[in-house]
Amino acid sequence: GKGRGKSKSSSEQLAIFGAERSRRGAELKIMSAVETKAPGTFTRGVKEKFSDEKGFGTDRMILRDDELSYALGSKGATRKKLAIAANVILEYVGYVAFMGGTLKERKRVKQFIDWLLAQRRGSVTVSDVSDRDDCTEMHIPDSCKGWVTGNRGSELRRMEQESGTFMFMANNRDGEERLLIFSANPGSKANDGGRAHAERLVNDMIQEKLHGRGRDSRSRGRGDSRRRSPSRRRSPSGRRRSPSRRRSPSRRRDSRSRSRR
């Protein structure tokens, strides 16, 4: 009625409109931001949950402190690449990973996270991928493995970002190491993005290494160009004025006499 103010317990509600997947993605982003400012708002007492719902749903996975930083990556890069490769919503609300998607998508990203965390402890074994529709398997020549992966995996990270994939070296059941490229997007020969794009990038690096256009040859080329040629080196005695440029005593006397006039 008139004269009645707003009650202290009243609060505004945020309305999110759109398709179910889009609404859930926006909701989880907001929850993550609020949880950062006010820890425990959405995670206090929360437990892990893995649903068998085939349609769209949300699963929860609790991460330890060291696992969270590794699964997040610099500026969230690791979280984003896993989400893109798995075609799933993946947000970290505090220490809880919320995974939104179909049953297949949720299982896929959970497996990606498990493999990612296993890499911290050493080599990973993925016995067989022949029955998967989201993986490309590549056998890399031993002489090219270090070149393809890069220093601490830097080249793999670059190719992942360019192609929207999740890539790592893994052993098969026989202990043979090969490169696995994961993504729900198969890609194509002509377009960027997906497993086919990542495969092209890897093949380019292999050819570069096999044909001697590798890191060593490039660094030698730069080093040679910086070396000073013998003709430009200074002589041991240092720079001297050419004798032809010295004034003779008679010329100095003549100039002084003219200045007195």
Side-chain angles (χ1 to χ4, degrees):
K2 274 189 177 180
R4 293 179 65 181
K6 199 179 277 187
S7 98
K8 292 182 179 179
S9 61
S10 66
S11 61
E12 290 182 318
Q13 297 288 327
L14 174 65
I16 304 173
F17 295 92
E20 181 180 24
R21 181 182 286 260
S22 300
R23 294 198 313 271
R24 188 54 168 152
E27 182 184 12
L28 290 173
K29 283 185 180 295
I30 293 166
M31 288 169 60
S32 178
V34 172
E35 187 73 17
T36 302
K37 292 290 186 181
T41 302
F42 296 106
T43 58
R44 189 174 290 110
V46 167
K47 297 180 180 180
E48 287 190 332
K49 185 197 81 168
F50 300 101
S51 171
D52 291 329
E53 176 65 38
K54 290 186 178 180
F56 185 85
T58 305
D59 289 348
R60 296 189 300 264
M61 178 182 181
I62 297 177
L63 302 172
R64 297 194 302 269
D65 187 23
D66 58 327
E67 292 177 333
L68 176 63
S69 59
Y70 194 78
L72 182 62
S74 176
K75 298 181 181 179
T78 303
R79 176 191 64 79
K80 292 173 185 175
K81 82 174 179 187
L82 295 178
I84 293 171
N87 190 35
V88 76
I89 297 168
L90 177 62
E91 292 289 343
Y92 301 148
V93 181
Y95 293 100
V96 183
F98 283 77
M99 302 162 283
T102 63
L103 178 61
K104 183 177 182 178
E105 291 166 348
R106 299 193 309 269
K107 283 187 172 182
R108 179 191 289 135
V109 77
K110 168 65 166 58
Q111 202 166 36
F112 285 2
I113 294 174
D114 288 340
W115 283 331
L116 177 78
L117 297 177
Q119 292 175 39
R120 301 178 308 153
R121 299 186 292 271
S123 60
V124 179
T125 297
V126 180
S127 299
D128 186 20
V129 295
S130 59
D131 60 342
R132 299 186 68 110
D133 63 358
D134 63 349
C135 182
T136 297
E137 190 175 26
M138 294 187 70
H139 293 275
I140 311 297
D142 289 339
S143 61
C144 301
K145 286 181 180 178
W147 176 250
V148 170
T149 57
N151 182 32
R152 302 182 68 178
S154 59
E155 290 298 333
L156 288 183
R157 304 293 84 79
R158 176 185 63 81
M159 292 185 285
E160 284 176 334
Q161 186 173 13
E162 288 186 28
S163 59
T165 58
F166 174 42
M167 307 165 62
F168 60 94
M169 302 295 293
N171 296 327
N172 61 18
R173 61 166 60 94
D174 298 321
E176 297 173 347
E177 191 178 47
R178 77 280 200 218
L179 176 65
L180 300 181
I181 305 172
F182 289 95
S183 177
N185 177 13
S188 67
K189 292 182 179 180
N191 299 319
D192 290 347
R195 300 193 308 275
H197 182 200
E199 188 175 5
R200 291 200 306 273
L201 293 173
V202 173
N203 279 325
D204 287 346
M205 294 203 70
I206 291 173
Q207 292 304 313
E208 186 179 62
K209 181 63 175 176
L210 292 178
H211 290 84
R213 298 189 302 272
R215 200 172 285 121
D216 294 340
S217 62
R218 287 202 300 268
S219 63
R220 282 199 299 270
R222 288 194 297 268
D224 291 341
S225 66
R226 285 196 297 265
R227 291 174 185 168
R228 177 176 288 183
S229 63
S231 61
R232 293 181 61 189
R233 291 175 181 167
R234 291 185 178 182
S235 63
S237 59
R239 181 179 285 178
R240 292 180 180 177
R241 179 178 287 183
S242 170
S244 61
R245 296 181 61 186
R246 292 178 181 175
R247 281 179 158 185
S248 65
S250 60
R251 289 180 62 189
R252 286 202 296 270
R253 283 197 297 272
D254 292 344
S255 62
R256 281 200 299 269
S257 63
R258 282 197 297 269
S259 65
R260 292 195 192 102
R261 292 175 184 174

